[in-house]
């Protein structure tokens, strides 16, 4: 069993910062790409940022220059540092990871339970 557990969401004023964390646990052989998605009310889930096992990152245009994704493979954890937050960043943020539970299996896509980020004065 593999689990992704997110933390770090909350309420912040416009211009503020938050740092999200997502830790993978369970039977893990290797982790490939990891990423963060978000879903605002009435909207589809969208990719915010992703990072490969080699450390290459890509971002949605709306967050470039404000958000930074990083990973710590020793801790099976991915982070999302969010600066200069705007009200339009308000959403539930979901962690995603492509994980091989053992060498006998291909990668499977796993999701966290989501953490609420609210940007409001």
């Amino acid at each position: 069993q593999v689990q992704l557990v997110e933390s770090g969401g909350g309420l912040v004023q416009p211009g503020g910062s938050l740092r999200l964390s997502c830790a993978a646990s369970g039977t893990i052989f290797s982790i490939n790409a990891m990423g963060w998605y978000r879903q605002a009310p009435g909207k589809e889930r969208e990719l915010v940022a992703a990072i490969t096992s080699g450390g290459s990152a890509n971002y949605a245009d709306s967050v470039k220059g404000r958000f930074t994704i990083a990973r710590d493979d020793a801790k099976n954890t991915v982070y999302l540092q969010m600066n200069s937050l705007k009200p339009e960043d308000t959403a539930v943020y979901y962690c995603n990871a492509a994980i091989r539970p053992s060498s006998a299996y291909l990668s499977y896509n796993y999701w966290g339970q989501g953490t609420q980020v609210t940007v409001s004065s």
Side-chain angles (χ1 to χ4, degrees):
Q1 286 279 8
V2 173
Q3 274 192 312
L4 298 181
V5 179
E6 299 132 335
S7 61
L11 173 64
V12 64
Q13 291 187 341
S17 298
L18 281 175
R19 187 192 194 208
L20 305 183
S21 300
C22 171
S25 63
T27 305
I28 297 172
F29 174 72
S30 65
I31 303 178
N32 298 324
M34 304 182 83
W36 290 93
Y37 288 71
R38 67 186 180 187
Q39 187 166 20
K43 295 189 176 182
E44 293 187 354
R45 190 173 297 189
E46 63 174 357
L47 175 68
V48 176
I51 185 167
T52 67
S53 57
S56 295
N58 65 283
Y59 300 90
D61 287 343
S62 59
V63 307
K64 281 181 181 175
R66 300 188 297 123
F67 290 10
T68 302
I69 190 170
R71 60 191 287 167
D72 184 338
D73 290 332
K75 297 180 179 180
N76 291 335
T77 299
V78 63
Y79 304 96
L80 185 68
Q81 178 67 44
M82 305 185 293
N83 299 328
S84 303
L85 282 161
K86 305 175 181 180
E88 51 263 44
D89 294 318
T90 296
V92 177
Y93 284 69
Y94 296 91
C95 173
N96 174 270
I99 297 174
R100 291 182 70 185
S102 78
S103 60
Y105 291 91
L106 300 175
S107 286
Y108 293 94
N109 218 20
Y110 292 90
W111 291 91
Q113 80 284 358
T115 185
Q116 177 70 46
V117 171
T118 302
V119 184
S120 175
S121 54

